[in-house]
Amino acid sequence: MSRSDAESRLGLHHAVAPGFKRLRLTVAYCGTPWRGWQSQTGGGGVQNELNTAIRRAVGVQALVQGSGRTDAGVHALGQVAHCDVPETVRMSAEAWCNALNACLPLSIRITEATVAEPTFHCRFDAIGKVYRYRIWRPRLLSPFEADRAWHIHGPLDIEALRAGLQHLVGTHNFVRLSANRGDLPETQRRALPEKTTRTIHRAELRDLGDVLELEFEGDGFLYKMVRMIVGTLMHISRGRANPDWLTDLLENPHGLQSNQTAPSCGLYLVSVKYPENAST
């Protein structure tokens, strides 16, 4: 049984109902004013704003689903979402973008809208994601970077940073480099390595002068995983911890979690990866 078949039987992966079509959206947003992607009681989530924009634009109720959550303050360049709308709503891709953007705050933009295959699911069909973390290096923090990057001024061991990034590539149990979302006790989470094991395909450093960019591509990321990885790498490269600490965090699943978490302001969801047969 395929993963999508199993999810369908569990009621998690619904195909489009008769009379509806599935709309796939690529969404960019500045996370600063929002309480994260997830809908919130009383509003404040990016998902809330998208649901409202569709209702205002075409007069229908639609529940937008995303490829995954981003926390408050985290940005996105290429979040992917989908929703089902009546087939009677006939609009071009450009018209969908224009209509939704006209109803959205300027900090949220639809960059692409297409009609997807009826069984496409932005979350369950995803096979990977790319995240980027930005670090501002000059002594003076630019006011235009205040909520767009983590400000770290001072000496950094760049070679230790590069070595740490390369150490991350591969398949590891990231239980000590992730946080418990609260959906199960930590003792139980520690006993299920299949839930906390992920593969990092690429971990790279780009030195752009004033800005360092750390970019990670993997088959999936746990709650706060990228932020804890970055926080840990910075702690080591600032000379505040031995590089062997990272080795222990990756290879010994029984110790304490990392106590270093980078702030949300520097994190960007760059893109979501899908197999070719899951595209529009």
Side-chain angles (χ1 to χ4, degrees), residues 173 175-176 186-187 190-191 193 248-257:
N173 184 346
V175 68
R176 295 176 64 194
E186 182 63 16
T187 53
R190 292 291 184 111
D248 185 62
L249 288 168
L250 292 171
E251 297 180 3
N252 173 17
H254 305 295
L256 296 174
Q257 288 165 290

Side-chain angles (χ1 to χ4, degrees), residues 257-268:
Q257 288 165 290
S258 172
N259 59 355
Q260 300 296 315
T261 303
S264 60
C265 62
L267 184 58
Y268 297 72

Side-chain angles (χ1 to χ4, degrees), residues 95-274:
W96 271 111
C97 287
N98 291 340
L100 294 179
N101 285 332
C103 299
L104 284 166
L106 293 176
S107 56
I108 304 172
R109 297 287 90 182
I110 306 298
T111 61
E112 186 178 7
T114 56
V115 176
E117 293 294 325
T119 57
F120 170 77
H121 197 291
C122 61
R123 176 183 173 193
F124 298 129
D125 288 340
I127 59 172
K129 292 182 178 178
V130 177
Y131 279 95
R132 181 179 302 152
Y133 199 94
R134 300 178 71 250
I135 296 169
W136 181 260
R137 297 288 293 130
R139 182 187 61 80
L140 182 66
L141 174 63
S142 166
F144 303 106
E145 295 283 351
D147 53 4
R148 304 292 198 277
W150 184 11
H151 185 207
I152 298 180
H153 174 65
L156 284 180
D157 186 338
I158 297 298
E159 292 308 311
L161 178 55
R162 292 188 189 277
L165 287 167
Q166 287 308 303
H167 200 160
L168 290 163
V169 175
T171 301
H172 306 282
N173 184 346
F174 286 95
V175 68
R176 295 176 64 194
L177 282 163
S178 62
N180 191 335
R181 197 181 285 276
D183 50 352
L184 74 168
E186 182 63 16
T187 53
Q188 186 177 346
R189 191 175 86 104
R190 292 291 184 111
L192 298 169
E194 67 275 12
K195 289 187 173 293
T196 53
T197 297
R198 296 291 186 271
T199 298
I200 301 296
H201 303 301
R202 179 171 59 88
E204 296 178 346
L205 172 67
R206 288 195 289 267
D207 188 344
L208 305 179
D210 287 347
V211 174
L212 294 180
E213 290 186 349
L214 282 66
E215 191 160 289
F216 306 88
E217 180 176 350
D219 63 357
F221 293 87
L222 302 168
Y223 182 45
K224 293 190 178 179
M225 177 174 152
V226 176
R227 291 170 58 192
M228 292 178 75
I229 286 173
V230 172
T232 299
L233 289 173
M234 287 297 103
H235 205 58
I236 292 170
S237 62
R238 295 166 91 176
R240 299 175 181 179
N242 190 289
D244 291 341
W245 182 40
L246 179 62
T247 302
D248 185 62
L249 288 168
L250 292 171
E251 297 180 3
N252 173 17
H254 305 295
L256 296 174
Q257 288 165 290
S258 172
N259 59 355
Q260 300 296 315
T261 303
S264 60
C265 62
L267 184 58
Y268 297 72
L269 172 57
V270 176
S271 62
V272 186
K273 304 290 186 178
Y274 294 94

Side-chain angles (χ1 to χ4, degrees), residues 30-41:
C30 170
T32 305
W34 306 108
R35 297 165 64 188
W37 165 266
Q38 190 82 358
S39 289
Q40 306 287 327
T41 302

